Amino acid sequence: MELESRVDGLMDGLGADLERLAAIPSIAFPGFPPEPVEQAHDLVVELLRGAGVPHVERIDLPDTAPVVYGEIPPPQPGAPTVLLYGHYDVQPPGDAALWLSPPFEPTPVEGGLRARGIADDKSNVLAHVGMLRVYGGRPPVGVKIVIEGQEEYGSAFDTYPPTDPERFACDAMVIADLGNLRPGTPTLTTGLRGAAEVTVEVRTLDEPRHSGEFGGAAPDALLALLKVLATLHDVHGDVAVEGLRRDPWDGTTYTEEEFRSLAGVREGLPLIGSGSLGERLWSGPAITVIGLDAPGVEHAASAVVPYARAKLNLRFHPHQDPDEALAKLVDHLRALRPFGIPLTVTPGDTGPGYEASTGGPAYRAALAALKEAWGEEASYVATGGSIPLVNGLAKAAPGAEVLLFGAQDSMCNLHAPNERVLFSELRNTVVALSAFVREYAEDFGARPGDRS
């Protein structure tokens, strides 16, 4: 109760600082001004120094927004070191007309605040700051802080940590770039699906030809492409590409009603695929057509289409090798000859998934801390999204336990209009982080044989 009282006393200040940070349009995408990104960086540095971090520096990499790096040495020999991660950049707001208030004017909503990036990931940056304030900058563990500025777009920092392992060496890391399955449900994320992209093209004619005179014999590129895309799923909507791993999911997942609401599924329409939602979303593959080059309907001519192209996004099991997963999809496509027509299949970028090991002292401490903060046992979930830096950090500190939790929740509209964060989730995340470092320091010292 003493810890919770301290956090409650800090909430007004944390809320005000969150508003300051969320008001900065720190979009690190091409075409957006760099000055707000620098401004957000400087504010994060100010907040960390004000919270008692004695060593704060800037990491500059080519074509990458600056990374904030901070250190607090362990309070005594043998104390563990915890790395805290977050990011201060945000997604572009998208269509401003879909927002109920300007995206970079933090606006009160019931129980919280609305703004672009306020949940993803500025609330989690403030959660780290809050934990440091609870302990007056002297937590019971050593701390390393990594707050990057180009997570949403991607950067050279994704693969940087293994090149500088001493800087990122730690016993455990808290990746605070996600949160709870639903508000009020403490959640540890244990898996991240991998991702890959493939482009498939069909070219059949030199130029469009009159569909009345040539249709029926002239090879139609769009028909061929559609036939190809139809092979990617079976009649139930499950991925039909051989060799993509799918395992049962035995953790917590959404109810169908929750998922329908979150996805905005129109009334009366079925969900695709079979099996549990956890399998379909987290421990099995998904293939999505994310782009299609074809004539538009409004100005369509009566002609056989000579060229069509599709871009595919593949999400795959956390344990499947990314090169293997990409090769399975590429091989499936290259083996096809729709109507005898060859395809051009071009592999794109790929990134590995991640599955955390559980059962060590950091996980024990996290489970106790989450229960202390929310008053109930934590649930285990995975996510279909990816956080590329997780693998880089795990390679830099291969013995460290990786914990993924934070102040977001699945209903916060991250990457969508009207993103919001709830003060209850921010408050409880600060409590959980503060309890975690306390519990971890005690457990780490009491059970040296469990250290990784």
Side-chain angles (χ1 to χ4, degrees):
M1 292 302 296
E2 180 186 353
L3 187 154
E4 293 192 31
S5 295
R6 276 184 278 167
V7 173
D8 288 337
L10 293 170
M11 282 303 298
D12 286 348
L14 289 172
D17 287 329
L18 178 58
E19 287 193 48
R20 292 171 63 200
L21 189 58
I24 302 171
S26 49
I27 306 166
F29 279 63
F32 289 87
E35 290 81 9
V37 176
E38 290 281 349
Q39 184 183 357
H41 166 275
D42 293 347
L43 179 53
V44 171
V45 170
E46 175 191 324
L47 293 172
L48 291 176
R49 286 179 173 155
V53 181
H55 175 79
V56 182
E57 64 179 274
R58 170 180 173 135
I59 300 175
D60 284 301
L61 299 174
D63 302 316
T64 300
V67 178
V68 182
Y69 176 81
E71 280 189 17
I72 300 175
Q76 59 194 32
T81 294
V82 175
L83 185 149
L84 305 175
Y85 168 82
H87 64 88
Y88 63 83
D89 64 305
V90 303
Q91 281 281 324
D95 186 353
L98 298 177
W99 285 76
L100 299 175
S101 55
F104 293 104
E105 291 183 15
T107 302
V109 298
E110 184 177 358
L113 286 170
R114 176 173 58 234
R116 168 55 85 228
I118 202 159
D120 181 21
D121 190 42
K122 291 176 178 178
S123 61
N124 284 320
V125 173
L126 266 295
H128 291 324
V129 171
M131 183 276 287
L132 296 173
R133 289 178 180 175
V134 165
Y135 289 103
R138 294 185 293 276
V141 298
V143 171
K144 294 183 177 182
I145 302 156
V146 178
I147 311 294
E148 68 168 314
Q150 200 169 307
E151 189 274 344
E152 298 290 5
Y153 183 72
S155 75
F157 189 60
D158 290 347
T159 55
Y160 174 76
T163 70
D164 192 4
E166 185 174 351
R167 181 191 294 274
F168 301 98
C170 60
D171 298 290
M173 57 185 79
V174 178
I175 309 297
D177 190 14
L178 25 65
N180 291 338
L181 182 69
R182 60 183 68 88
T185 300
T187 304
L188 279 169
T189 298
T190 59
L192 305 169
R193 277 199 297 199
E197 291 186 345
V198 175
T199 300
V200 55
E201 300 178 69
V202 186
R203 189 177 295 277
T204 57
L205 306 173
D206 293 331
E207 58 188 21
R209 284 290 185 262
H210 192 292
S211 58
E213 295 189 18
F214 297 93
D220 186 316
L222 184 54
L223 279 179
L225 180 60
L226 294 175
K227 193 170 182 64
V228 166
L229 299 180
T231 70
L232 299 176
H233 298 82
D234 65 17
V235 294
H236 304 292
D238 293 315
V239 170
V241 175
E242 292 291 331
L244 292 177
R245 180 171 173 175
R246 176 170 172 164
D247 290 344
W249 175 255
D250 56 7
T252 306
T253 187
Y254 302 110
T255 66
E256 183 168 325
E257 291 73 22
E258 284 176 328
F259 182 77
R260 285 177 173 279
S261 176
L262 288 169
V265 178
R266 295 200 169 191
E267 188 174 351
L269 292 182
L271 303 184
I272 67 169
S274 61
S276 73
L277 279 173
E279 281 186 47
R280 284 179 272 176
L281 298 173
W282 302 328
S283 61
I287 299 175
T288 305
V289 181
I290 60 173
L292 187 67
D293 289 339
V297 171
E298 188 173 348
H299 301 290
S302 297
V304 180
V305 175
Y307 173 77
R309 179 173 65 160
K311 189 170 189 178
L312 309 178
N313 178 263
L314 166 66
R315 302 287 172 153
F316 51 88
H317 191 285
H319 277 176
Q320 186 154 29
D321 178 82
D323 293 331
E324 177 191 48
L326 178 61
K328 296 296 183 184
L329 177 55
V330 169
D331 290 348
H332 174 94
L333 293 168
R334 286 179 174 166
L336 299 174
R337 290 292 186 273
F339 313 121
I341 298 168
L343 311 173
T344 299
V345 180
T346 306
D349 294 334
T350 186
Y354 183 80
E355 187 162 32
S357 60
T358 60
Y363 260 84
R364 285 194 295 270
L367 289 171
L370 290 168
K371 184 175 181 180
E372 181 173 336
W374 273 275
E376 61 180 81
E377 300 288 345
S379 298
Y380 288 114
V381 303
T383 177
S386 57
I387 307 174
L389 186 67
V390 171
N391 282 280
L393 289 171
K395 288 178 182 177
E401 292 182 74
V402 180
L403 306 164
L404 297 103
F405 66 92
Q408 301 169 23
D409 64 83
S410 295
M411 301 171 187
C412 70
N413 287 343
L414 75 165
H415 293 208
N418 303 307
E419 181 179 349
R420 65 99 181 104
V421 72
L422 298 177
F423 290 130
S424 59
E425 299 301 286
L426 175 59
R427 180 259 189 198
N428 288 349
T429 301
V430 178
V431 172
L433 283 169
S434 303
F436 165 69
V437 296
R438 181 198 69 211
E439 294 289 318
Y440 185 44
E442 293 175 1
D443 196 332
F444 193 90
R447 302 171 179 263
D450 286 341
R451 299 179 193 178
S452 300

